[in-house]
Amino acid sequence: MSGSDIKTAFFVIADISGYTEFMSKTAIEHAKGILEGLFGDLVPAIRSPLAISGLQGDAVFAYAFESEVMSKQFILDFAEQLYCVFARSKEKMVVNTGCTCDACSNIKALELKIVVHHGQCVMQETGGREELAGQDVITAFRLLKNSVKADTGLTAYTLITCDALKAMDMVDYFDDSEFYTEDIEHIGEVEYVVRDMRAAWNRRRSSQRTFVEASQKLLIDEWIIPLPVSPDVAFTICTRPDLRASWLGADHVEMFNTNNGKLEPGSLYHCHHGDDIFPFEIVDWNPGEYATGLYNLPMGITMHETDELVQVGDGTMVKIRYSMPTSPKIMGKLMTGAVKKKLCSIILPDKENRIRRMTELAHKMIASDATLDLAS
């Protein structure tokens, strides 16, 4: 085996807790259908740059080569999204079934735990198909048996090793009290943090969706930009501060209200264009699908921007929509017309340049084998 065969990757294992007991104590026909339904929703949710290495009974094993991960927090966001897919699927089953058999009555007992690790691996052929192998792959699977429930009481969680956090440059996102250690036989101590996924699901389920629809009255016509990259890479282009500044043609972008460096709803961009500063706050997003931000303009005037991402083949159609500026204040209402005119005079003349710069960024990512600085 040559050094060139060794790859560095993120490993993600999504494991359905309670699977064995559920299968052994409930009606096999209904239990099988329930689990197939859950996996039927989980598997399609795993998309580029992640790829599935295998399905192992109650678990899905996926990986992403480090060079293909554009955003340092992508894996964290993805884990939360994946749990929400599972929770939504389970909730629909509970609501839509009238069956009282043991299987259907115990759907709520099923939970999802996710393990995220980072390290080296090789591809090996097994039974005519390629699978990942290596010590770090073994470590990821060994971490499925852990003391998280005993230490925290959590049954729905994401366990992220410090190796993965360091690769993402996200160690500072967590407080010292959130770190735990697992002593694994033949491997040694592995340090990790735990995130409560049920809390993330409750937060997302109760949050109000903010989305500028194509059917709304818009400031300018919707932009439709085809990019030769996946929706997750396109999402990074639209939201990562340095990349957003690049295609917007901003002199620079300052960031505020980041959660120890993690972008999320509530994070605030200050986009500098000469002497003008345009505050732009993320108010809603679903990574890989859309991001909506709020421009806070003078006199209490606000305007939303939604960047929607639609996968088309191996590429993505980026749809950018600006809502009409509004204000609850009398002076703001009086000045809305002038502000609209000002905004149009800034955005429209630069439209083709912004589209060109965004497209060039996508091609640059492909040409550079996706090696833009992960820690940016």
Side-chain angles (χ1 to χ4, degrees), residues 92-361:
K92 284 181 181 178
M93 288 183 184
V94 172
V95 170
N96 293 327
T97 185
C99 180
T100 58
C101 77
D102 288 344
C104 294
S105 299
N106 285 285
I107 296 173
K108 289 183 179 180
L110 295 172
E111 263 303 354
L112 191 73
K113 60 184 180 185
I114 301 169
V115 168
V116 176
H117 186 45
H118 176 273
Q120 294 184 325
C121 62
V122 294
M123 300 294 292
Q124 67 178 22
E125 190 169 315
T126 305
R129 51 189 298 243
E130 287 192 327
E131 293 185 344
L132 294 189
Q135 181 66 55
D136 287 309
V137 174
I138 293 171
T139 298
F141 276 95
R142 294 285 296 278
L143 282 167
L144 288 172
K145 294 190 180 298
N146 55 59
S147 54
V148 170
K149 185 177 179 181
D151 291 340
T152 68
L154 298 176
T155 56
Y157 59 84
T158 296
L159 181 159
I160 312 136
T161 67
C162 281
D163 286 337
L165 290 176
K166 289 173 184 174
M168 291 183 254
D169 191 30
M170 296 295 290
V171 175
D172 292 340
Y173 174 60
F174 296 90
D175 186 77
D176 289 345
S177 63
E178 297 180 86
F179 287 83
Y180 300 88
T181 300
E182 204 74 40
D183 193 0
I184 303 176
E185 187 179 5
H186 305 307
I187 292 173
E189 289 191 346
V190 178
E191 194 174 15
Y192 59 85
V193 296
V194 178
R195 302 186 78 200
D196 184 348
M197 289 295 99
R198 194 172 294 155
W201 164 241
N202 289 335
R203 185 173 62 251
R204 183 172 294 197
R205 182 172 52 178
S206 62
S207 63
Q208 184 176 355
R209 187 172 188 257
T210 305
F211 191 86
V212 180
E213 301 281 359
S215 57
Q216 290 179 221
K217 190 174 182 181
L218 304 176
L219 174 70
I220 56 178
D221 291 339
E222 174 186 68
W223 296 4
I224 300 180
I225 310 165
L227 298 182
V229 293
S230 70
D232 287 296
V233 175
F235 181 85
T236 301
I237 291 173
C238 290
T239 59
R240 207 174 89 176
D242 58 325
L243 302 183
R244 184 172 176 84
S246 178
W247 65 265
L248 281 175
D251 299 322
H252 67 280
V253 174
E254 292 180 284
M255 293 302 302
F256 301 90
N257 299 341
T258 61
N259 192 345
N260 290 322
K262 183 177 183 290
L263 296 178
E264 58 190 13
S267 295
L268 181 65
Y269 303 69
H270 274 192
C271 301
H272 293 255
H273 295 260
D275 294 332
D276 294 322
I277 299 176
F278 293 88
F280 180 74
E281 179 187 354
I282 299 171
V283 292
D284 185 21
W285 74 2
N286 196 351
E289 296 183 15
Y290 71 90
T292 298
L294 179 71
Y295 289 95
N296 289 294
L297 305 169
M299 291 169 288
I301 298 174
T302 59
M303 177 181 73
H304 286 99
E305 173 193 329
T306 290
D307 301 340
E308 182 183 9
L309 314 166
V310 180
Q311 185 162 7
V312 180
D314 294 330
T316 302
M317 203 71 75
V318 178
K319 300 182 178 183
I320 300 178
R321 296 186 286 268
Y322 298 94
S323 70
M324 292 291 284
T326 60
S327 175
K329 299 180 179 180
I330 295 176
M331 191 54 121
K333 290 178 180 178
L334 292 174
M335 294 301 295
T336 297
V339 170
K340 287 194 296 186
K341 187 174 180 180
K342 170 77 170 176
L343 289 169
C344 289
S345 72
I346 294 171
I347 298 171
L348 285 176
D350 198 36
K351 175 182 176 181
E352 296 306 320
N353 288 328
R354 293 186 182 190
I355 292 174
R356 173 182 54 78
R357 289 189 291 256
M358 182 181 281
T359 305
E360 287 175 351
L361 272 175

